């Protein structure tokens, strides 16, 4: 089984990412459950605006699209900015819009029988809003969103320390992240055993 993590931090590599740090809790649990995990830091790529799989010369999205189709599990990881998912996360979701019109050999939308979850960090309120926005978009595309397939960390409203600078709340976020990984694997295995059929015509 394969998982793809798309980290939608605004920080280019090799700058430390709070979102990446929390995501590593989830990926470690996935590895321990036998899942092969690949990670993409989207801000490092030239992901052109648009809603097609390939937006032409210089577009770095097509290889990411290929990885999406090779993975049974997807995790979108985003910081919170102004109470919203990052602009990078929104760009990623816009490019995934092309998957709505793509089907497999059996006529199923290509996101069917794949599961997805969300990791969120921020030093302000808004985690549930960000998780809801990203989860809703992924469900629209066709992903199955298991119950409690998310984790987050923040220290309430207003400015505050970063995840990497403060230990408060880490135990809860890590415990929730491990549960997220467990739920993602369990539902992915269930869908592999009994796939969702193509929509009725």
């Amino acid at each position: 089984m394969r998982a793809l993590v798309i980290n939608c931090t605004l920080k280019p590599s090799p700058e430390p990412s709070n979102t990446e740090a929390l995501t590593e809790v989830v990926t470690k649990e996935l590895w321990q459950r036998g899942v092969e995990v690949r990670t993409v830091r989207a801000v490092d790529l030239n992901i052109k605006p648009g809603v097609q799989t390939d937006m032409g010369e210089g577009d770095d999205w097509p290889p990411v699209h290929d990885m999406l189709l090779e993975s049974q599990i997807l995790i979108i990881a985003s910081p919170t900015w102004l109470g919203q998912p990052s602009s990078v996360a929104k760009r990623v979701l816009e490019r995934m819009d092309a998957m709505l019109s793509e089907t497999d050999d059996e006529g199923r939308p290509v996101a069917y029988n794949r599961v997805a979850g969300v990791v969120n960090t921020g030093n302000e309120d808004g985690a549930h809003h960000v998780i809801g926005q990203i989860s809703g978009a992924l469900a629209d595309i066709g992903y199955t969103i298991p119950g409690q397939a998310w984790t987050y960390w923040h220290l309430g409203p207003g400015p505050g320390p970063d995840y990497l600078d403060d230990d408060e709340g880490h135990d809860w976020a890590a415990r929730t992240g491990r549960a997220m990984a467990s739920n993602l694997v369990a539902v992915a295995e269930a869908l592999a055993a009994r796939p969702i059929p193509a929509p009725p015509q």
Side-chain angles (χ1 to χ4, degrees):
M1 186 175 294
R2 285 180 171 176
L4 175 64
V5 176
I6 303 180
N7 179 5
C8 298
T9 178
L10 301 184
K11 300 171 182 174
S13 299
E15 191 172 345
S17 163
N18 296 289
T19 304
E20 181 179 86
L22 179 54
T23 302
E24 286 173 352
V25 174
V26 182
T27 58
K28 181 179 179 182
E29 185 70 21
L30 289 171
W31 277 109
Q32 291 177 348
R33 293 173 181 272
V35 180
E36 177 187 335
V37 182
R38 292 180 289 184
T39 301
V40 170
R41 192 181 286 207
V43 74
D44 291 340
L45 306 176
N46 180 24
I47 300 176
K48 292 187 174 184
V51 291
Q52 298 177 26
T53 295
D54 189 340
M55 296 301 297
E57 184 177 355
D59 184 18
D60 289 338
W61 179 255
V64 180
H65 176 267
D66 291 344
M67 286 189 277
L68 287 168
L69 299 186
E70 294 165 359
S71 303
Q72 293 75 44
I73 297 172
L74 169 64
I75 295 170
I76 300 289
S78 174
T80 300
W81 291 109
L82 299 173
Q84 303 287 324
S86 74
S87 58
V88 176
K90 292 182 178 183
R91 174 69 56 86
V92 165
L93 293 170
E94 285 171 351
R95 293 303 302 272
M96 290 179 69
D97 182 88
M99 296 170 70
L100 285 166
S101 59
E102 299 173 3
T103 55
D104 64 16
D105 293 339
E106 297 183 29
R108 294 175 296 205
V110 292
Y112 271 32
N113 300 305
R114 305 177 196 277
V115 300
V118 182
V119 172
N120 175 245
T121 57
N123 55 20
E124 57 182 279
D125 250 333
H128 282 282
H129 176 70
V130 170
I131 291 165
Q133 280 201 312
I134 296 174
S135 296
L138 293 171
D140 280 349
I141 293 165
Y143 280 88
T144 296
I145 313 298
Q148 298 183 343
W150 47 263
T151 189
Y152 68 86
W153 178 91
H154 71 78
L155 286 183
D162 290 334
Y163 177 83
L164 288 168
D165 298 332
D166 192 287
D167 289 334
E168 186 177 345
H170 281 213
D171 289 345
W172 181 90
R175 187 168 61 252
T176 308
R178 291 190 295 270
M180 168 187 175
S182 176
N183 293 348
L184 287 167
V185 171
V187 176
E189 289 175 342
L191 289 171
R194 191 169 182 178
I196 299 171
Q201 296 300 313

